[in-house]
Amino acid sequence: MLPEAHHRRASFSLNDVFQMETTILNATISPPDTTVISAAANVLRQGGLVAFPTETVYGLGADSMNAAAVERVFICKGRPPDNPVIVHIGDRSQLDSVSEYTSLVAHALAERFWPGPLTLVVNHRKQFPRAVTAGLPTVAVRIPNHPVALALIRELGHGIVGPSANLSGKPSPTTAQHVLHDLGGRIEIILDAGPTLIGVESTVIDVTTSPPTILRLGGLARETIEGVVGTLATSHDLDTLKRSPGTRHRHYAPDANVELIEAGDSARLEKLIVQYRGLGKRVACILHSLNIEEVNETLLVVSTDVNDYARYLFQTMRIFDEQKVDLIIVESVPEVGVGEAVMDRLRRAAEKK
Ligand code: TXA
Ligand code: MG
């Protein structure tokens, strides 16, 4: 017997959604605090929304079987209804209960990389509310590698939808404070377990195609996945856009303009700084090999490790926005490992508004 809420239509107004009190709960990691987890699971059971930490970014959690709760997720984020959400499960055995004809490739990937920053798109068994899948025959599933997320899913007993807990189009949240900034007053609880480790979202692989298709670059490197299942298909064509609607929406955009420059291109760096400063604008930089001698008002973040770049990228964009920076100049990183996902996010952020 499905919970009654499964059949109910959303019956709240925007004002109800946007005037609630958001509670931040300190979520210990080892071991997760059972009182905190059971309080959060109860909120989910009642159709409430709970932001939770994962190893990639914070997710905005709702009971995946509760249509009204999932619809609230879309309203809170301002997410287009044609962009389906990921269902987070707690155990590999749950893959067969959500998906039909799960392929050997899907099982091989799940066995090797779950829990971890990998999302698999599989054919579903038609059990989810329409909002979860946006009407597609497929559903995106992953097991997050975070004790708090896993404890919450296990306490609820089934899948939790979890889009990134940011306003649609903004950089994904890597701290509880980012979630509060974007969604405070719109959701019941934020479970705060500190900054996330990876900093960019999971890699999304469609395993209904042969070979599997990479739909979104992310925290698990393409090379690592290809080491298990061979060369992945990459598709930028219309067909992929239909299969992964999220890829066509504008993403990861700070308020500032973003200019991506080649690694080591000091001439372009100087030119941009002079040009923008000449207009009285505030300029900030994220660099790893380049250096600026005369720093002045220019804010500077230097990192040589691409994993650090990934971990702090969204956080840095948010800090620069708070400082009312007009232009962020970012030095390109090599597209190996998580560097490929970093460059994907940077290119999207640099798309002209
Ligand atoms: O790391 C992550 O994946 C984070 C954490 C919280 O788990 N979640 C996340 O969710 O980034 P979201 O909703 O921001 O991104 C989900 C991506 C979108 O690009 C969406 O279009 C795609 O997965 N997606 C979801 N369901 C799909 C489906 N059935 N077919 C193809 N793509 C799908
Ligand atoms: Mg997102």
Side-chain angles (χ1 to χ4, degrees), residues 56 79 83-84 86 88 138 140 142 162-164 202 216 243-244 246:
T56 56
R79 186 180 179 97
N83 190 5
I86 298 171
H88 294 70
T138 54
R142 90 172 182 104
S164 47
S202 62
R216 180 177 73 181
R243 279 189 284 115
S244 188

Side-chain angles (χ1 to χ4, degrees), residues 52 54 56-60 77 79 83-86 88 119 121 132-133 136 138-140 142 162-164 166 172 200-202 204 215-216 243-247 251:
F52 62 97
T54 79
T56 56
V57 299
Y58 275 74
L60 177 53
K77 279 180 59 77
R79 186 180 179 97
N83 190 5
V85 288
I86 298 171
H88 294 70
T119 295
V121 170
V132 171
T133 61
L136 293 172
T138 54
V139 66
R142 90 172 182 104
S164 47
N166 52 296
S172 289
V200 293
E201 305 85 346
S202 62
V204 181
L215 296 181
R216 180 177 73 181
R243 279 189 284 115
S244 188
T247 50
H251 273 321

Side-chain angles (χ1 to χ4, degrees), residues 164-175:
S164 47
N166 52 296
L167 289 174
S168 212
K170 290 287 155 199
S172 289
T174 58
T175 68

